[in-house]
Amino acid sequence: MMELVPSLLWGLLAGSSLLIGAAFGWFAGPGARVTAGVMAFGSGVLVSAIAFELMDEALRIGGIGPAAIGFALGAIAFTAGALALARRGAHGRKRSSKAAAPATTAALAIALGSVFDGIPESMVIGLSLLEGNGVSLPIVAAVFLSNVPEGMSSAVGLKKAGLSKTYVFGLWTGIALLCGIGSLAGFILFDGAAPEYVAIAQGVAAGAMLAMIADTMIPEAFDEAHDAAGLITAAGFLTAFVMSHAFG
């Protein structure tokens, strides 16, 4: 039973950044360039985590077939889900600088999108604990950073729609708790599973996360950071690469 606690706590830590983003959006709101810098750095961290933490691991434990199948399924599933959410007003759910005044429906769709993104991401945190070597810090950092603008975007929209602070922060607290549960579920569901199934699950997460980066995070970074976006993204990649090999 005690081995379940770390997966829950790491998932809650990653999900807590949704509340941090909501607090920024409600009480202050950083400038667009600051947010873009976070997006660029987080994109680099995520790309590194996908390559060295997810796909390498999926290849090692399950082989190229399950890893590739999972990756394709993840990318397709994210794209289909993103298209469905976009029709309901959540196309820019990670693009806080473009979501200054969404309607109530759009802001709630952003929250729904956070569940759609956050559960697979948090499950990866649980998967990273299965071999008993500790959590993947690059993945935790990447998920943490990518969650901030979602909370920020939705909180701004819901505040402008006149909803109460209690409602907004209650909503994001619930979603953050779901991220913790998602991490726990990843650990429980795949503990003792055949290596091929774990590889497929890791590939699904990797494909969905890479599709998300290309769809939302990199465009946000380039729109506001412009020429600096590439350098900041590279810094994020290098940071995660060093973390992966220093703590791996």
Side-chain angles (χ1 to χ4, degrees), residues 122-186:
S122 58
M123 287 186 72
V124 173
I125 296 172
L127 288 171
S128 74
L129 288 161
L130 285 176
E131 292 194 3
N133 297 321
V135 74
S136 169
L137 293 178
I139 289 177
V140 173
V143 174
F144 187 95
L145 285 172
S146 71
N147 281 338
V148 171
E150 296 189 37
M152 190 185 308
S153 296
S154 186
V156 168
L158 294 172
K159 183 178 182 180
K160 290 189 175 183
L163 295 175
S164 71
K165 182 168 60 176
T166 300
Y167 177 90
V168 172
F169 284 93
L171 174 68
W172 285 107
T173 298
I175 295 174
L177 289 174
L178 285 176
C179 289
I181 294 170
S183 178
L184 183 62

Side-chain angles (χ1 to χ4, degrees), residues 19-217:
L19 283 168
I20 293 172
F24 273 122
W26 189 276
F27 296 109
R33 290 183 65 83
V34 173
T35 302
V38 173
M39 289 297 92
F41 190 84
S43 295
V45 172
L46 273 174
V47 170
S48 180
I50 289 166
F52 297 108
E53 298 291 323
L54 290 178
M55 290 305 290
D56 253 7
E57 182 69 7
L59 177 65
R60 184 182 69 80
I61 65 174
I64 187 66
I69 289 170
F71 187 90
L73 289 174
I76 292 169
F78 176 87
T79 301
L83 288 172
L85 288 168
R87 295 191 180 99
R88 291 162 175 79
H91 179 71
R93 62 189 175 279
K94 286 184 184 283
R95 305 191 65 190
S96 56
S97 66
K98 301 299 181 185
T104 306
T105 301
L108 289 172
I110 292 170
L112 178 61
S114 300
V115 177
F116 175 76
D117 296 338
I119 298 301
E121 290 174 355
S122 58
M123 287 186 72
V124 173
I125 296 172
L127 288 171
S128 74
L129 288 161
L130 285 176
E131 292 194 3
N133 297 321
V135 74
S136 169
L137 293 178
I139 289 177
V140 173
V143 174
F144 187 95
L145 285 172
S146 71
N147 281 338
V148 171
E150 296 189 37
M152 190 185 308
S153 296
S154 186
V156 168
L158 294 172
K159 183 178 182 180
K160 290 189 175 183
L163 295 175
S164 71
K165 182 168 60 176
T166 300
Y167 177 90
V168 172
F169 284 93
L171 174 68
W172 285 107
T173 298
I175 295 174
L177 289 174
L178 285 176
C179 289
I181 294 170
S183 178
L184 183 62
F187 184 85
I188 292 174
L189 292 176
F190 292 94
D191 187 20
E196 291 79 10
Y197 292 122
V198 178
I200 289 173
Q202 291 177 319
V204 167
M209 289 164 71
L210 188 58
M212 178 272 292
I213 293 167
D215 183 60
T216 56
M217 293 180 72

Side-chain angles (χ1 to χ4, degrees), residues 226-244:
H226 302 302
D227 294 339
L231 181 60
I232 298 171
T233 303
F237 182 95
L238 181 60
T239 299
F241 177 79
V242 171
M243 288 176 62
S244 176

